[in-house]
Amino acid sequence: MAPPHAVYRAFMDPKKLVAWLPPTGMEGRIDTFDAREGGIYRMTLTYLDSDHQTGKTSDNTDVRQGEFLELVPGKRIVQRIVFESEDPAFAGAMTMTWNLDEVPGGTKVTIVSENVPVGIRQEDHEAGMSSTLANLAAFLE
C-alpha cells in the first residue's frame, strides 16, 4: 500500500531498515551502513527468546555483512550477503535481489535469493522473508 519510492527509502535509511527487516522473534542493530553501489553494511540480528535454532554467528545472533551491488531507486536493490560464522554450512555469499514493481494502490515486492547457504533450510528462509515483508508492510502503512 506504499509507492515504490517509499519502499526503496525504507531500505536505504538504516534507522528505518532496522525497524522492519528483522523477522518476528529477532531485533536488529546496524553496525555499519554505506548506501551506495559498492557500499557495505553490517547488521547484527539477535534472537529474543530461547526457543529458536542456534544463531549462525553465536547461540543467539546472526551477524551479516552486505554489499550493495546494484541500486536502482524505486525499482531494484541487489545485495551480496555473507554471514559471519565458523560453521561451513553458512559459508559463502548469498545474492538477494529485491524488485519493486508499482501496482494499483502500492508496490509488489519480489525477493529472489541465490546461493542461499545450505545450512539455511528453505522453509526457514521463506518464513523469515515472509515475516520481513509483513513487517515492511506494517511499517509503511
Side-chain angles (χ1 to χ4, degrees), residues 83-139:
F83 291 100
E84 292 183 11
S85 180
E86 293 181 12
D87 186 338
F90 300 113
M94 173 172 61
T95 301
M96 294 185 76
T97 301
W98 294 63
N99 291 301
L100 313 176
D101 296 308
E102 189 168 0
V103 296
T107 304
K108 177 181 178 185
V109 178
T110 306
I111 304 168
V112 177
S113 299
E114 300 172 277
N115 301 318
V116 177
V118 297
I120 301 175
R121 298 181 322 163
Q122 182 174 345
E123 57 269 23
D124 292 340
H125 186 68
E126 289 175 1
M129 291 291 90
S130 293
S131 176
T132 292
L133 287 172
N135 293 344
L136 175 61
F139 180 79

Side-chain angles (χ1 to χ4, degrees), residues 43-109:
M43 176 183 282
T44 300
L45 297 167
T46 303
Y47 291 92
L48 298 175
D49 60 44
S50 58
D51 295 338
H52 69 276
Q53 296 178 343
T54 302
K56 296 168 194 67
T57 307
S58 72
D59 284 345
N60 68 336
T61 62
D62 292 347
V63 178
R64 62 190 243 175
Q65 180 161 308
E67 177 185 1
F68 293 110
L69 302 177
E70 180 184 2
L71 297 173
V72 182
K75 299 281 185 194
R76 183 175 32 267
I77 299 160
V78 181
Q79 56 184 320
R80 179 177 27 246
I81 298 169
V82 176
F83 291 100
E84 292 183 11
S85 180
E86 293 181 12
D87 186 338
F90 300 113
M94 173 172 61
T95 301
M96 294 185 76
T97 301
W98 294 63
N99 291 301
L100 313 176
D101 296 308
E102 189 168 0
V103 296
T107 304
K108 177 181 178 185
V109 178

Side-chain angles (χ1 to χ4, degrees), residues 8 11-14 32-41 68 71:
Y8 185 85
F11 208 111
M12 294 292 102
D13 180 323
T32 305
F33 197 82
D34 182 7
R36 62 179 175 85
E37 286 188 5
I40 301 292
Y41 72 92
F68 293 110
L71 297 173

